[in-house]
Amino acid sequence: NRNGKSVVKFVNAKVAGSLMELSGGSLGYAVGVQFNKESLRDTPDANQQAGNVFGSIAQAAVDADRDLKAVFGELAIPLLKNLEAQVAVRHDQYSGASGSSGTVRVDGAKASKTSPKVAIKYRPVSNFAVRASYAESFLAPSLKQLFSGQEEGAESTSDTDIICPAFGVPAVACDAFPYRNVTGSNPNLKPETGQTRNIGFVFEPLPELAVAMDFWSIKKKNEVNQPTVESAVQQGLFNRRPSGEWQVFTNNQNIAGSESSGVDVDVRARLAD
């Protein structure tokens, strides 16, 4: 038997409207708050926790919870009849997730971030517009990534380039050399952060035809992923037990980051009745 339950309770509130009239139109605003309370419970039976199930490995019980809070504000600013801007800011904060995997209780570190957004759109003529934006983002690791339990399995290697030299094992002894591979959660994960840039245009040569093209780039830091065994060893994520067995930790880690970019093209045509 294995009983699990995940619960998310949330309250969102938002107020929006117009503050005043400017030369280009109404100055719009929006403000809001968000509150989330999350919990995760996963209880394998005693045999699973003890590793007594044939063909499986020991499964740890999980009991974790945390709170997430956010507040945000946004302004839509018509600077001129053909020029408008958007300015927004959001502040996220989450409590140090408290949880246990097995019998060890861990309180994670608190984290917070203020993320701005700026966008502008300029329409020099009625059927053509240029737009650009910059935004930052924040993503807290999930309770599953933090506290879903760690699993350890028996592995072997014949890698004489990275793994065996790191273990201090000579090449002549590196034939199916045994080690233990630890996978699963990591209560020390940090939040992911990102930056997104976008610039593009919209062209409507005909009332029935619209063409849009956007060039974008996204840069992320502290992405949560599981490294390969070779990468984990190169990062020093391994140790040796008092019993002499080597352990390699390929559980969730904050990988250095990533960058991606591309072009989006959107063509829309409306057929006449």
Side-chain angles (χ1 to χ4, degrees):
N1 295 316
R2 184 169 183 169
N3 297 315
K5 186 177 183 180
S6 175
V7 178
V8 178
K9 300 177 181 178
F10 65 89
V11 175
N12 294 337
K14 179 180 177 180
V15 177
S18 176
L19 287 175
M20 65 177 71
E21 289 296 321
L22 301 178
S23 59
S26 297
L27 174 63
Y29 78 94
V31 294
V33 295
Q34 179 180 354
F35 177 78
N36 285 23
K37 188 173 186 64
E38 302 177 359
S39 64
L40 177 64
R41 309 285 182 267
D42 186 7
T43 310
D45 60 30
N47 281 319
Q48 288 177 309
Q49 294 190 45
N52 296 331
V53 180
F54 180 75
S56 182
I57 56 180
Q59 305 290 330
V62 179
D63 183 359
D65 56 75
R66 70 153 172 224
D67 296 335
L68 297 96
K69 304 173 184 177
V71 58
F72 64 88
E74 178 181 337
L75 289 175
I77 310 170
L79 300 172
L80 301 169
K81 289 293 184 180
N82 60 350
L83 178 64
E84 57 185 90
Q86 180 189 39
V87 178
V89 64
R90 177 185 175 97
H91 181 76
D92 290 272
Q93 181 178 23
Y94 74 90
S95 65
S98 177
S100 62
S101 181
T103 59
V104 180
R105 190 80 183 175
V106 177
D107 291 326
K110 296 182 179 180
S112 62
K113 186 179 186 302
T114 300
S115 304
K117 177 183 178 181
V118 179
I120 193 166
K121 184 176 181 181
Y122 174 56
R123 187 180 293 273
V125 292
S126 61
N127 64 347
F128 182 78
V130 180
R131 58 193 180 188
S133 65
Y134 170 82
E136 296 182 5
S137 57
F138 171 94
L139 179 63
S142 68
L143 285 178
K144 182 176 177 62
Q145 291 172 325
L146 291 165
F147 294 110
S148 64
Q150 293 188 350
E151 302 172 350
E152 184 174 319
E155 301 286 348
S156 63
T157 183
S158 299
D159 180 8
T160 58
D161 295 326
I162 298 174
I163 302 178
C164 283
F167 291 168
V169 177
V172 295
C174 188
D175 183 15
F177 185 81
Y179 68 94
R180 310 288 289 186
N181 186 17
V182 180
T183 62
S185 64
N186 179 359
N188 298 314
L189 291 175
K190 296 182 290 186
E192 298 180 10
T193 59
Q195 297 177 341
T196 302
R197 295 173 173 85
N198 186 95
I199 185 169
F201 67 86
V202 180
F203 180 46
E204 298 176 327
L206 300 171
E208 299 82 13
L209 180 64
V211 179
M213 180 177 290
D214 289 282
F215 301 86
W216 54 267
S217 67
I218 300 174
K219 182 183 294 186
K220 293 183 180 180
K221 294 182 180 180
N222 293 324
E223 284 190 285
V224 178
N225 210 328
Q226 294 185 337
T228 63
V229 174
E230 292 79 9
S231 176
V233 170
Q234 289 176 321
Q235 296 177 59
L237 302 174
F238 64 94
N239 65 18
R240 192 174 190 179
R241 286 175 165 174
S243 61
E245 287 184 305
W246 286 95
Q247 289 179 302
V248 179
F249 298 91
T250 60
N251 52 326
N252 293 329
Q253 306 290 337
N254 288 111
I255 304 301
S258 67
E259 293 186 27
S260 58
S261 60
V263 180
D264 288 340
V265 178
D266 183 19
V267 179
R268 301 189 183 194
R270 295 184 294 272
L271 299 178
D273 294 336

